[in-house]
Amino acid sequence: MDFNQKMLEVCRLFRIEYEYLGYETIQMGNVNRTYKVNFLLPEGKPKSFLVQNVNTYAFRNPVGLMENIDKVTEHIRRKKPGQLALHFHHTADRKTYVEDGENFWRMTNYVPSVTFNTVTDLDVVRNAGKAFGEFQMDLADFDIGELTETIPGFHNTRNRYEKLRQAIREDRAGRASQVQEEIAYLLSVQDMACRLTELQLAGELPLRVTHNDTKINNVLFDPRDNAPMIVIDLDTVMPGLMGHDFGDAIRFAANFVEEDCPGCEKAGLDLRVFRAFAEGFLEKTARAMTEKELQTLALSSFALTAELATRFLADYLDGDLYFKINAPDHNLVRARCQIALAKDMLRKMPEMEQVVLACAAAAK
Ligand code: GN1
Ligand code: MG
């Protein structure tokens, strides 16, 4: 079927009856596929919606995932009535998704906004820190037991290492011999990378409802003044650690380069960005944090960076089954970039720790 026809069919199932104008592919995320679909209202104005094709290789239980999102967005909406929120459209039989035997579709409102893949404006970074901190605090009274684990063990770094070892053993794409250096580095830092997971398993860090994918481009900003408008991409909202959200945000936003920048020698941690994000995040969360959470916040940046490096490298070894790629070595480039960032983080760990303590003291 022609893709225009497919888009139209999906939108009609979500009961959008306006005149169809066409669709645009949106570069958003490395897992799902996203399209902006444009319509014409009867009065002649354009109106757009976002349609997503959920990657069911990554998300094995997409229905459970949609239920999670529904509960979480409703919880936030009840707390902040009238505030801009993500709204998922329903089919005639009240479902928030359409399954056509091959694909899993969903549709949300389109929010005109700006997003950032790299940021140098420290006010924007601070605002992102506030947005993710507030998101976590909004869900502080949400019952964890209500949530399905959409990807079991998502930030279980120990399991991620196990999957890397399996990928090395199986060597499905015959690439292991090319990446011995990367493998050796990641294995050499395994203990430190897994420390957060070990503390979690020992019950020393509280389980919270966390976002788990806190890339700064998952915050929509107001184009007029760069104020944060809304946190998006709730696919991985699950029980997790404070450090998962902090660490993942840092590994993305505080890197000197984008996460898939070729020529990884330029990758590294920008301490100014680290500080700005920590200021915003801790302003919202410091009062609710335990001592142990605070002590492991800087470490969490390293843990999440090394963890993602194992994921990119494992996917490269598997033959690129999980992440979308735009070149045959895309996953390798990504893995190298995360490794270079992780190395720099280790060098800067004492400074990062100091910054965290100073920001927490200022926020309390
Ligand atoms: C994936 O698809 P996206 O961009 O929201 C991944 C994250 C990674 C990220 C790296 C469900 O997120 O865990 O950190 O790529 N999401 C999933 O860019 O695996
Ligand atoms: Mg995501």
Side-chain angles (χ1 to χ4, degrees), residues 189-257:
V189 294
Q190 175 169 355
D191 284 352
M192 182 136 179
C194 293
R195 227 180 97 71
L196 205 65
T197 299
E198 304 304 342
L199 288 170
Q200 174 178 353
L201 296 176
E204 292 193 37
L205 292 166
L207 214 49
R208 300 173 179 274
V209 177
T210 46
H211 183 284
N212 294 307
D213 189 8
T214 46
K215 304 200 285 194
I216 198 165
N217 58 17
N218 279 334
V219 181
L220 303 187
F221 291 89
D222 191 323
R224 290 163 306 182
D225 57 3
N226 287 342
M229 297 163 79
I230 184 174
V231 169
I232 60 162
D233 187 5
L234 308 182
D235 295 338
T236 49
V237 172
M238 282 181 281
L241 304 180
M242 191 73 100
H244 293 152
D245 280 0
F246 181 82
D248 194 53
I250 293 300
R251 82 140 195 96
F252 190 79
N255 194 348
F256 286 119
V257 296

Side-chain angles (χ1 to χ4, degrees), residues 47-341:
K47 174 142 184 93
S48 303
F49 300 89
L50 276 194
V51 170
Q52 274 191 317
N53 183 352
V54 177
N55 178 335
T56 51
Y57 178 77
F59 298 105
R60 303 295 168 106
N61 176 8
V63 175
L65 176 157
M66 290 310 293
E67 281 166 9
N68 277 3
I69 292 182
D70 208 30
K71 290 176 191 164
V72 164
T73 46
E74 277 313 304
H75 185 88
I76 296 177
R77 227 179 9 190
R78 272 197 298 276
K79 277 197 168 161
K80 298 175 160 170
Q83 205 160 307
L84 178 68
L86 274 190
H87 170 70
F88 285 84
H89 286 255
H90 289 85
T91 58
D93 53 357
R94 304 298 303 156
K95 289 198 182 110
T96 51
Y97 54 87
V98 165
E99 282 175 295
D100 63 9
E102 220 177 305
N103 295 301
F104 188 98
W105 303 95
R106 65 184 175 198
M107 175 189 259
T108 65
N109 48 331
Y110 172 73
V111 181
S113 54
V114 280
T115 54
F116 299 91
N117 286 328
T118 50
V119 224
T120 43
D121 182 338
L122 297 182
D123 290 331
V124 171
V125 177
R126 200 171 294 107
N127 278 341
K130 285 186 201 174
F132 284 126
E134 190 167 316
F135 181 82
Q136 227 179 74
M137 291 299 102
D138 284 344
L139 294 170
D141 56 346
F142 186 96
D143 177 7
I144 287 188
E146 290 269 309
L147 291 176
T148 305
E149 250 196 302
T150 54
I151 300 182
F154 190 57
H155 284 315
N156 182 321
T157 313
R158 204 204 269 170
N159 282 358
R160 295 293 187 183
Y161 263 90
E162 199 32 62
K163 287 198 177 139
L164 174 61
R165 287 178 197 281
Q166 190 184 340
I168 298 166
R169 273 196 308 275
E170 292 176 0
D171 195 14
R172 288 156 82 174
R175 290 167 162 175
S177 60
Q178 301 165 25
V179 295
Q180 289 303 313
E181 214 180 293
E182 289 76 11
I183 292 173
Y185 176 76
L186 287 173
L187 295 181
S188 76
V189 294
Q190 175 169 355
D191 284 352
M192 182 136 179
C194 293
R195 227 180 97 71
L196 205 65
T197 299
E198 304 304 342
L199 288 170
Q200 174 178 353
L201 296 176
E204 292 193 37
L205 292 166
L207 214 49
R208 300 173 179 274
V209 177
T210 46
H211 183 284
N212 294 307
D213 189 8
T214 46
K215 304 200 285 194
I216 198 165
N217 58 17
N218 279 334
V219 181
L220 303 187
F221 291 89
D222 191 323
R224 290 163 306 182
D225 57 3
N226 287 342
M229 297 163 79
I230 184 174
V231 169
I232 60 162
D233 187 5
L234 308 182
D235 295 338
T236 49
V237 172
M238 282 181 281
L241 304 180
M242 191 73 100
H244 293 152
D245 280 0
F246 181 82
D248 194 53
I250 293 300
R251 82 140 195 96
F252 190 79
N255 194 348
F256 286 119
V257 296
E258 288 195 48
E259 69 177 15
D260 59 353
C261 176
C264 56
E265 66 285 345
K266 287 180 245 125
L269 182 91
D270 187 335
L271 270 167
R272 293 168 321 135
V273 174
F274 180 84
R275 179 188 299 274
F277 188 87
E279 277 167 8
F281 189 82
L282 283 155
E283 180 188 313
K284 299 288 179 183
T285 56
R287 283 176 296 274
M289 254 188 216
T290 68
E291 202 51 40
K292 199 83 178 183
E293 283 180 310
L294 198 61
Q295 284 166 6
T296 49
L297 218 50
L299 172 75
S300 72
S301 311
F302 172 76
L304 275 276
T305 306
E307 178 187 283
L308 189 59
T310 69
R311 295 177 61 195
F312 285 147
L313 195 60
D315 201 35
Y316 182 70
L317 291 170
D318 286 344
D320 312 305
L321 302 174
Y322 187 97
F323 294 104
K324 289 189 278 182
I325 54 163
N326 59 23
D329 65 347
H330 200 171
N331 273 317
L332 178 58
V333 167
R334 287 166 168 153
R336 287 186 171 147
C337 189
Q338 295 303 299
I339 287 174
L341 174 62

